[in-house]
Each structure stands twice: as structure tokens, then as C-alpha cells.
Amino acid sequence: MYDDIASSPLNPRPGTIINNPKGDNVYAGVPKDYNGEHVTVDNLFAVLLGDKKSVKGGSGKVVDSKPDDRIFLFYSDHGGPGVLGMPNNRALVAKDLIDVLKKKHSMGTYKEMVIYLEACESGSIFEGILPQDLNIYATTASGAQENSYGTYCPDTKPSPPPGYSTCLGDLYSVAWMEDSEMHNLKKESLEQQFNKVQIRSCVKERTSMSNTYMSGSHVMEYGTKDMKHEKVSLYLGFDPKTANLPPNRIHFNKMDSVNQRDADLIYLWQRYKESPETRAEVLKEITDTLTHRSHLDSSIDMIGVLLFGPQNGRSILNSVRERGLPLVDDWECFKSMARLFEKHCGLLTQYGLKHMRAFANICNNLVEKVVVEEAFAATCGGKNIGPHASFGVYSV
């Protein structure tokens, strides 16, 4: 965990983290083997592979698993088509993660693995590229072309306690965590936690706001689905306090949600309203954020026009492939297009990760690199400046 919440000067309860308006402190006692600058893609991969020699900083602990071990991995961050955000340096690219999982499987150092993934477009991390024979069952907060959603946000219901200006959690994550706290996990199966069963619903229905999908996302599943009959306790453990609870009959109240990509703006707006003494400073942050978003959106639109014409540019860059196909065929091209964009147009930032599909579609349409760079330079010449200038450091 990056570990920048508990001690933040903006935390109304210093040293405490809550993920429910009435929740207890979930920070106390949490082991933090890697935090701050040590939360990186390279360290994550080394830890998963049990490669003690390759980890840098932190405690040095790795997943030193054996052939009969089960592994649970929960990952939560911002995301975009084909990528997962990281607080430091480059983002995690889907193909690289799949390659690590394949290597872990070939090493024979686990029996089964369950992955819960929270991020916008998180389905794109596995869609069409996670094999079904790795003994890995993965669920994601959203489909390959959907945002995920924050919850327990200011001005929503339920709202966070007074003093909090930010969302307390993400809808998918809150759903599976609270479901796990309210059920006997020795009786509840992975399938039950994913699907609506019996009278009440679990993660899928709750995340989709009672299956209307008006304000929510489609929770997806990938990989070895034959594992779904297994009990959740095999991966999350068992709390004796839940021994007398049912496997799947707890009522969930309806929860409002907000687009995860707007959560930072909601946070800034709350600060703007509630802190007159810092209003000018926060106003500048809001202005800078919106200006950069506009720059990224308009730049991608212009690039589409230059590469594919005014009638087809936007539709080609935003096109979604059929279910079961990967986001892109050439993942190295995908990375290089993103870096080329940042070379000329500045860093994508968390918000800009939503445009990774555009780079995938440029590659899928086999546009020559020299033509692409000409379009990037014509669109963004002289704009790689200011706080979001890349300076040779790229997001992927």
C-alpha cells in the first residue's frame, strides 16, 4: 500500500482510515511490507514470483509459495484500457501481468489463485489474454470499456462522516469486503460472492445498483471458472465471529456512487466549499486539473482527425473490439504509442489513462510510427510543458 492516507494533514482523524461511514479504523495493525516509493510494478512482479533478489526496498518479503498453496491478490488503483495505475513511475500493463502469472504457473509454486481487481476498465486487463488453464479465477470491478465507481462520497447516500471531503471506498471493493464481513466464508462460495443467489444479492447486483447499471458497472469474471464452487475462506480466511452467520442472506442497502475518474474533482470541490482560507489555492488546483483534462481530450480528438479524418477519427480511436478479443494485438506498439504521445503532449496522468484505447486502436490499424509521431507533434508541438511535462519519464 502506498500509505499516504493515515498521516495526511487533510485526514480529519489522524492515524485512522475508515472505509464505511460507521466503520472502525481499518489501518491499525495492517502490515506494510512495501509503501511509498517502493510500491512499483517491478516490486509487485518480484513479490509475486518469490524473487527476493529483485525486490528493492521494503521488508524484502515475497510470496514464497509452494505447490499446494492458494494465493489471493487484491489490487486497487486507477486504471485505463490495458493498464493499472501505480503511485510511482510506470503503470502496470496487462500483457506484462499475464506474462508474470504464466511464469508463476510454470514454476509450479501455487495450487490456485484468486484475483479481485478494482480499477476503471479493469476487465481489459484479462479480456482475451488470461488463459483458462492457469488455475486463476479473476473478477473485476468493471468491464473492458467501463469506468468503476466510488461510494460513500460527499453529498451522496450514505455519505461519509462530517469532516471528510473524499469518497471512502470504491463500490466493487466495498461490496466484496462488506459481504465477506457479513457471511460465514466457510459456507459461502466464490460463485455466491459474485452472483445473485437465493433472496439477496452480492457483489454483482450491488455494484450494478440492483442490476439497472444506471450508475454502476458490470462486474466481470475471467480465467478458471471451474474454481467458483470453492469456499471464499480458502482465500480470505475465516473469522470465528461469523460462524453463525448465513452464507448469503444479508441485506444490502442501496448505495449511491460516482464515476471514479471524477472522485478527485469532488474532493477538490468539497475543499473549495468548506475551506475559505485555502479557497484560492484549491481553485487553482481545480482550474489546472480541468485545463489538463481538456488538453488531453482535445489532443486525442485532433490526433484522430489527423490520422483517420474528421468523419472517422473519433469512432476509430474509441472503437471496442468484440468480447473475447484482447485490447490490442501488439502490446509493445501499445506502450510505444503511449510514450510517444507523452513525449509530445505531456504526461497522461490518472485521468488520461482512459485514452489508452486510442493508442491500442492506432496499433490495431497498423499506422506507421512516423505518421503517428507527425500527428502527435502537429497536435501538441510546444505543449509538453508545465506541471505535467514528461521530461523523459513515461506512464507505461
Short mmCIF file of all heavy atoms in Angstrom, two decimals, residues 92-122:
data_model
loop_
_atom_site.label_atom_id
_atom_site.label_comp_id
_atom_site.label_asym_id
_atom_site.label_seq_id
_atom_site.Cartn_x
_atom_site.Cartn_y
_atom_site.Cartn_z
N LEU A 92 1.15 -0.46 -14.63
CA LEU A 92 1.23 -1.88 -14.92
C LEU A 92 0.46 -2.15 -16.21
O LEU A 92 -0.70 -1.75 -16.35
CB LEU A 92 0.63 -2.66 -13.75
CG LEU A 92 0.71 -4.19 -13.75
CD1 LEU A 92 0.57 -4.71 -12.32
CD2 LEU A 92 -0.35 -4.83 -14.62
N VAL A 93 1.08 -2.82 -17.16
CA VAL A 93 0.46 -3.14 -18.45
C VAL A 93 -0.06 -4.57 -18.40
O VAL A 93 0.62 -5.48 -17.90
CB VAL A 93 1.46 -2.95 -19.61
CG1 VAL A 93 0.84 -3.39 -20.93
CG2 VAL A 93 1.90 -1.50 -19.68
N ALA A 94 -1.27 -4.77 -18.92
CA ALA A 94 -1.95 -6.06 -18.82
C ALA A 94 -1.08 -7.23 -19.28
O ALA A 94 -0.96 -8.25 -18.59
CB ALA A 94 -3.25 -6.01 -19.63
N LYS A 95 -0.49 -7.11 -20.45
CA LYS A 95 0.30 -8.22 -21.01
C LYS A 95 1.45 -8.58 -20.09
O LYS A 95 1.80 -9.77 -19.95
CB LYS A 95 0.82 -7.83 -22.38
CG LYS A 95 1.67 -8.91 -23.08
CD LYS A 95 0.89 -10.19 -23.33
CE LYS A 95 1.59 -11.07 -24.37
NZ LYS A 95 2.99 -11.36 -24.02
N ASP A 96 2.07 -7.60 -19.45
CA ASP A 96 3.19 -7.88 -18.54
C ASP A 96 2.71 -8.66 -17.32
O ASP A 96 3.39 -9.58 -16.85
CB ASP A 96 3.85 -6.57 -18.11
CG ASP A 96 4.48 -5.82 -19.27
OD1 ASP A 96 4.80 -6.47 -20.29
OD2 ASP A 96 4.64 -4.59 -19.17
N LEU A 97 1.53 -8.29 -16.80
CA LEU A 97 0.98 -9.03 -15.66
C LEU A 97 0.66 -10.47 -16.05
O LEU A 97 0.97 -11.41 -15.30
CB LEU A 97 -0.29 -8.34 -15.15
CG LEU A 97 -1.05 -9.09 -14.05
CD1 LEU A 97 -0.19 -9.25 -12.81
CD2 LEU A 97 -2.36 -8.38 -13.71
N ILE A 98 0.05 -10.65 -17.21
CA ILE A 98 -0.29 -12.00 -17.65
C ILE A 98 0.97 -12.85 -17.83
O ILE A 98 1.00 -14.03 -17.48
CB ILE A 98 -1.11 -11.96 -18.95
CG1 ILE A 98 -2.41 -11.19 -18.74
CG2 ILE A 98 -1.40 -13.38 -19.44
CD1 ILE A 98 -3.30 -11.72 -17.64
N ASP A 99 2.02 -12.24 -18.36
CA ASP A 99 3.28 -12.97 -18.52
C ASP A 99 3.83 -13.43 -17.17
O ASP A 99 4.36 -14.54 -17.04
CB ASP A 99 4.31 -12.10 -19.23
CG ASP A 99 4.01 -11.94 -20.72
OD1 ASP A 99 3.20 -12.72 -21.25
OD2 ASP A 99 4.60 -11.03 -21.34
N VAL A 100 3.71 -12.57 -16.15
CA VAL A 100 4.17 -12.93 -14.81
C VAL A 100 3.31 -14.07 -14.25
O VAL A 100 3.83 -15.01 -13.64
CB VAL A 100 4.14 -11.70 -13.87
CG1 VAL A 100 4.29 -12.12 -12.41
CG2 VAL A 100 5.24 -10.74 -14.25
N LEU A 101 2.00 -14.00 -14.45
CA LEU A 101 1.13 -15.07 -13.96
C LEU A 101 1.42 -16.39 -14.66
O LEU A 101 1.40 -17.46 -14.04
CB LEU A 101 -0.34 -14.67 -14.17
CG LEU A 101 -0.81 -13.45 -13.37
CD1 LEU A 101 -2.27 -13.13 -13.71
CD2 LEU A 101 -0.66 -13.66 -11.87
N LYS A 102 1.70 -16.33 -15.95
CA LYS A 102 2.07 -17.55 -16.68
C LYS A 102 3.37 -18.13 -16.13
O LYS A 102 3.51 -19.35 -15.99
CB LYS A 102 2.22 -17.24 -18.17
CG LYS A 102 0.92 -16.98 -18.90
CD LYS A 102 1.18 -16.65 -20.38
CE LYS A 102 -0.09 -16.42 -21.16
NZ LYS A 102 0.17 -16.05 -22.57
N LYS A 103 4.32 -17.25 -15.84
CA LYS A 103 5.60 -17.71 -15.30
C LYS A 103 5.40 -18.34 -13.92
O LYS A 103 6.00 -19.38 -13.61
CB LYS A 103 6.59 -16.55 -15.23
CG LYS A 103 7.97 -16.95 -14.76
CD LYS A 103 8.94 -15.77 -14.81
CE LYS A 103 10.34 -16.19 -14.36
NZ LYS A 103 11.30 -15.06 -14.43
N LYS A 104 4.58 -17.70 -13.10
CA LYS A 104 4.28 -18.25 -11.77
C LYS A 104 3.67 -19.64 -11.90
O LYS A 104 4.03 -20.56 -11.14
CB LYS A 104 3.32 -17.30 -11.04
CG LYS A 104 2.97 -17.74 -9.61
CD LYS A 104 4.09 -17.45 -8.65
CE LYS A 104 3.68 -17.72 -7.22
NZ LYS A 104 4.80 -17.54 -6.26
N HIS A 105 2.79 -19.80 -12.86
CA HIS A 105 2.17 -21.11 -13.07
C HIS A 105 3.19 -22.15 -13.53
O HIS A 105 3.19 -23.29 -13.07
CB HIS A 105 1.04 -20.98 -14.10
CG HIS A 105 0.30 -22.26 -14.36
ND1 HIS A 105 0.60 -23.07 -15.45
CD2 HIS A 105 -0.70 -22.88 -13.69
CE1 HIS A 105 -0.20 -24.12 -15.42
NE2 HIS A 105 -0.99 -24.03 -14.38
N SER A 106 4.06 -21.75 -14.45
CA SER A 106 5.06 -22.69 -14.96
C SER A 106 6.05 -23.11 -13.89
O SER A 106 6.63 -24.20 -13.97
CB SER A 106 5.81 -22.06 -16.14
OG SER A 106 6.63 -20.98 -15.71
N MET A 107 6.24 -22.27 -12.87
CA MET A 107 7.13 -22.59 -11.76
C MET A 107 6.52 -23.64 -10.83
O MET A 107 7.24 -24.24 -10.02
CB MET A 107 7.46 -21.32 -10.97
CG MET A 107 8.29 -20.30 -11.73
SD MET A 107 8.27 -18.65 -10.95
CE MET A 107 9.02 -19.00 -9.36
N GLY A 108 5.21 -23.83 -10.93
CA GLY A 108 4.55 -24.81 -10.08
C GLY A 108 4.52 -24.43 -8.61
O GLY A 108 4.56 -25.32 -7.74
N THR A 109 4.44 -23.13 -8.33
CA THR A 109 4.55 -22.68 -6.94
C THR A 109 3.22 -22.21 -6.35
O THR A 109 3.21 -21.40 -5.42
CB THR A 109 5.59 -21.57 -6.82
OG1 THR A 109 5.28 -20.53 -7.76
CG2 THR A 109 6.99 -22.10 -7.10
N TYR A 110 2.11 -22.68 -6.90
CA TYR A 110 0.81 -22.45 -6.27
C TYR A 110 -0.17 -23.49 -6.78
O TYR A 110 0.03 -24.09 -7.84
CB TYR A 110 0.30 -21.03 -6.54
CG TYR A 110 -0.15 -20.77 -7.97
CD1 TYR A 110 -1.47 -20.93 -8.35
CD2 TYR A 110 0.76 -20.38 -8.95
CE1 TYR A 110 -1.89 -20.70 -9.66
CE2 TYR A 110 0.35 -20.15 -10.26
CZ TYR A 110 -0.98 -20.32 -10.60
OH TYR A 110 -1.40 -20.10 -11.89
N LYS A 111 -1.22 -23.66 -6.00
CA LYS A 111 -2.27 -24.59 -6.42
C LYS A 111 -3.35 -23.86 -7.18
O LYS A 111 -3.73 -24.25 -8.29
CB LYS A 111 -2.86 -25.29 -5.21
CG LYS A 111 -3.95 -26.30 -5.54
CD LYS A 111 -4.45 -27.01 -4.29
CE LYS A 111 -5.50 -28.07 -4.64
NZ LYS A 111 -5.99 -28.78 -3.42
N GLU A 112 -3.85 -22.78 -6.57
CA GLU A 112 -4.87 -21.95 -7.20
C GLU A 112 -4.69 -20.51 -6.74
O GLU A 112 -4.12 -20.25 -5.68
CB GLU A 112 -6.27 -22.45 -6.81
CG GLU A 112 -6.62 -23.81 -7.39
CD GLU A 112 -7.86 -24.40 -6.77
OE1 GLU A 112 -8.07 -24.20 -5.55
OE2 GLU A 112 -8.62 -25.06 -7.50
N MET A 113 -5.20 -19.59 -7.56
CA MET A 113 -5.08 -18.17 -7.25
C MET A 113 -6.39 -17.47 -7.57
O MET A 113 -7.03 -17.76 -8.58
CB MET A 113 -3.95 -17.54 -8.07
CG MET A 113 -3.65 -16.08 -7.73
SD MET A 113 -2.40 -15.31 -8.83
CE MET A 113 -1.01 -16.44 -8.66
N VAL A 114 -6.78 -16.55 -6.69
CA VAL A 114 -7.95 -15.70 -6.92
C VAL A 114 -7.49 -14.26 -6.94
O VAL A 114 -6.72 -13.82 -6.07
CB VAL A 114 -9.03 -15.91 -5.83
CG1 VAL A 114 -10.09 -14.82 -5.90
CG2 VAL A 114 -9.67 -17.28 -5.99
N ILE A 115 -7.95 -13.51 -7.94
CA ILE A 115 -7.58 -12.10 -8.08
C ILE A 115 -8.86 -11.26 -8.11
O ILE A 115 -9.76 -11.52 -8.91
CB ILE A 115 -6.78 -11.84 -9.37
CG1 ILE A 115 -5.51 -12.69 -9.39
CG2 ILE A 115 -6.44 -10.35 -9.51
CD1 ILE A 115 -4.72 -12.58 -10.70
N TYR A 116 -8.94 -10.27 -7.22
CA TYR A 116 -10.00 -9.27 -7.25
C TYR A 116 -9.36 -7.96 -7.68
O TYR A 116 -8.40 -7.50 -7.05
CB TYR A 116 -10.64 -9.11 -5.87
CG TYR A 116 -11.60 -10.21 -5.48
CD1 TYR A 116 -11.81 -11.34 -6.27
CD2 TYR A 116 -12.31 -10.14 -4.28
CE1 TYR A 116 -12.69 -12.34 -5.90
CE2 TYR A 116 -13.20 -11.13 -3.89
CZ TYR A 116 -13.38 -12.24 -4.70
OH TYR A 116 -14.25 -13.23 -4.33
N LEU A 117 -9.91 -7.35 -8.72
CA LEU A 117 -9.26 -6.19 -9.32
C LEU A 117 -10.21 -5.00 -9.39
O LEU A 117 -11.28 -5.07 -9.99
CB LEU A 117 -8.77 -6.57 -10.72
CG LEU A 117 -8.05 -5.52 -11.54
CD1 LEU A 117 -6.85 -4.97 -10.78
CD2 LEU A 117 -7.59 -6.11 -12.87
N GLU A 118 -9.82 -3.91 -8.77
CA GLU A 118 -10.61 -2.67 -8.73
C GLU A 118 -9.89 -1.58 -9.52
O GLU A 118 -8.82 -1.13 -9.15
CB GLU A 118 -10.78 -2.20 -7.29
CG GLU A 118 -11.39 -0.82 -7.12
CD GLU A 118 -12.87 -0.79 -7.39
OE1 GLU A 118 -13.63 -1.39 -6.62
OE2 GLU A 118 -13.27 -0.14 -8.38
N ALA A 119 -10.50 -1.18 -10.65
CA ALA A 119 -9.96 -0.09 -11.45
C ALA A 119 -10.93 0.18 -12.60
O ALA A 119 -11.71 -0.70 -12.98
CB ALA A 119 -8.57 -0.42 -12.01
N CYS A 120 -10.88 1.36 -13.15
CA CYS A 120 -11.65 1.63 -14.36
C CYS A 120 -11.14 0.74 -15.50
O CYS A 120 -9.93 0.49 -15.61
CB CYS A 120 -11.51 3.10 -14.77
SG CYS A 120 -12.37 4.25 -13.67
N GLU A 121 -12.07 0.25 -16.33
CA GLU A 121 -11.75 -0.64 -17.45
C GLU A 121 -10.95 -1.86 -17.02
O GLU A 121 -10.14 -2.41 -17.78
CB GLU A 121 -10.99 0.10 -18.56
CG GLU A 121 -11.82 1.06 -19.35
CD GLU A 121 -11.74 2.49 -18.87
OE1 GLU A 121 -10.89 2.78 -18.00
OE2 GLU A 121 -12.53 3.31 -19.34
N SER A 122 -11.15 -2.31 -15.77
CA SER A 122 -10.33 -3.40 -15.24
C SER A 122 -10.53 -4.71 -16.00
O SER A 122 -9.64 -5.56 -16.02
CB SER A 122 -10.60 -3.60 -13.75
OG SER A 122 -11.97 -3.58 -13.45
#
